[in-house]
Amino acid sequence: MHFTSEQRLDDDVVERAFTLGDIPGILWTPASASASAPVPLILLGHPPLGLRKMYPRLADRARRSAAEGFAAATIELPGSGDRPRLSAVDEARADLRRALQAGEPVGDEIIDAVILPLVEQSVPEWRAALDALLALPEIGGPVAYSGGVISIGVRLAVVEPRIVAAGLFAGSFVPRTMFEEARQVTIPLHVLLQWDDEGNDRQAALDLFDAFGSKEKTLLANMGGHTGVPQSAGEHAAGFFARHLRQGLIQTDRP
């Protein structure tokens, strides 16, 4: 991991841009974080629109995390921003847009072609980023995952034992293969669903929630479209992360 810039935001949050190989990322930490007082970490997922476009929302989420005493980090997804394009995924997205505009059903083949390559490539990258982030003296875990493409969150919850809780946004199409993976998820989950999300299959989102194997799972459904998430939803998510990361911190500190 190579840090390329550093600035202190107005609310006493330190923001550092980094690269991990050829993958750009951003790390936000409370100014109080140090080697003597390392803090938990939230991995901030996001849609494949590029970090530049997503920066205002990511920085807002990171500030909220820092106010709770947690670090937050994100990385650029494959095929996004300045990273090389994934031509097959771009073509599948074009097919998806055409189907939606024509009011046609979106077939499994299109959904698989849009989502699965992102899952297969980005999950190992997230895990490599987590290795590097946890090697920093000011970050000590535990770790949570928040938002982004829900299938990426599902895969990470299955394969990454260092993630102790996840907040997922049911706002993207889900390949059928992910339902079987969802049954293997056992960590606490907080799932946000916009009831009138124009780009999401509500029934599929409900079926996915039902498939999760977690004993503790909460579904927070709000009226409104994809971009109509109320402020209260962020407050509910913040409470969920605070509860589980602090609980994990206490457990880590026990002899």
Side-chain angles (χ1 to χ4, degrees):
M1 174 178 284
H2 174 65
F3 288 105
T4 58
S5 68
E6 179 176 326
Q7 63 174 332
R8 181 168 296 209
L9 306 183
D10 294 339
D11 39 6
D12 228 18
V13 178
V14 178
E15 177 184 284
R16 286 176 283 176
F18 65 83
T19 56
L20 187 67
D22 60 351
I23 305 170
I26 308 173
L27 170 64
W28 296 269
T29 51
S32 59
S34 66
S36 60
V39 297
L41 172 68
I42 300 179
L43 302 176
L44 300 181
H46 53 90
L49 300 175
L51 286 183
R52 289 193 187 94
K53 186 171 183 177
M54 292 302 303
Y55 174 81
R57 279 182 277 178
L58 288 166
D60 183 65
R61 291 162 63 193
R63 284 186 167 102
R64 188 187 293 269
S65 299
E68 296 287 346
F70 309 140
T74 192
I75 57 174
E76 188 75 87
L77 288 176
S80 297
D82 294 329
R83 298 189 65 184
R85 303 301 303 178
L86 301 177
S87 57
V89 173
D90 288 341
E91 291 173 7
R93 286 181 184 144
D95 292 338
L96 175 63
R97 286 192 295 269
R98 282 192 290 268
L100 293 173
Q101 290 169 359
E104 299 173 351
V106 179
D108 291 342
E109 184 177 345
I110 293 178
I111 295 174
D112 288 355
V114 170
I115 302 297
L116 291 180
L118 286 179
V119 175
E120 295 297 336
Q121 185 171 337
S122 66
V123 167
E125 293 175 351
W126 273 113
R127 299 187 75 186
L130 184 54
D131 289 341
L133 291 163
L134 289 177
L136 299 173
E138 65 270 32
I139 298 177
V143 181
Y145 177 84
S146 171
V149 178
I150 194 168
S151 293
I152 294 175
V154 171
R155 175 69 61 82
L156 276 170
V158 172
V159 303
E160 181 47 75
R162 293 172 292 185
I163 295 177
V164 301
L168 305 176
F169 180 33
S172 52
F173 288 98
V174 181
R176 290 188 183 276
T177 57
M178 299 308 301
F179 285 80
E180 185 56 41
E181 294 194 34
R183 294 182 178 90
Q184 303 173 50
V185 175
T186 58
I187 61 174
L189 296 177
H190 180 87
V191 182
L192 173 64
L193 171 65
Q194 287 300 105
W195 200 251
D196 306 302
D197 193 334
E198 59 281 3
N200 186 39
D201 184 333
R202 182 199 302 163
Q203 190 56 55
L206 294 173
D207 291 343
L208 181 67
F209 179 79
D210 188 51
F212 284 125
S214 303
K215 292 182 179 179
E216 180 186 339
K217 55 181 179 180
T218 299
L219 178 67
L220 179 64
N222 295 286
M223 303 304 292
H226 189 83
T227 59
V229 180
Q231 182 176 352
S232 60
E235 295 168 358
H236 283 292
F240 168 80
F241 288 122
R243 185 167 66 254
H244 288 287
L245 290 178
R246 289 187 180 129
Q247 181 183 36
L249 193 60
I250 292 171
Q251 292 172 345
T252 301
D253 289 342
R254 286 175 180 167

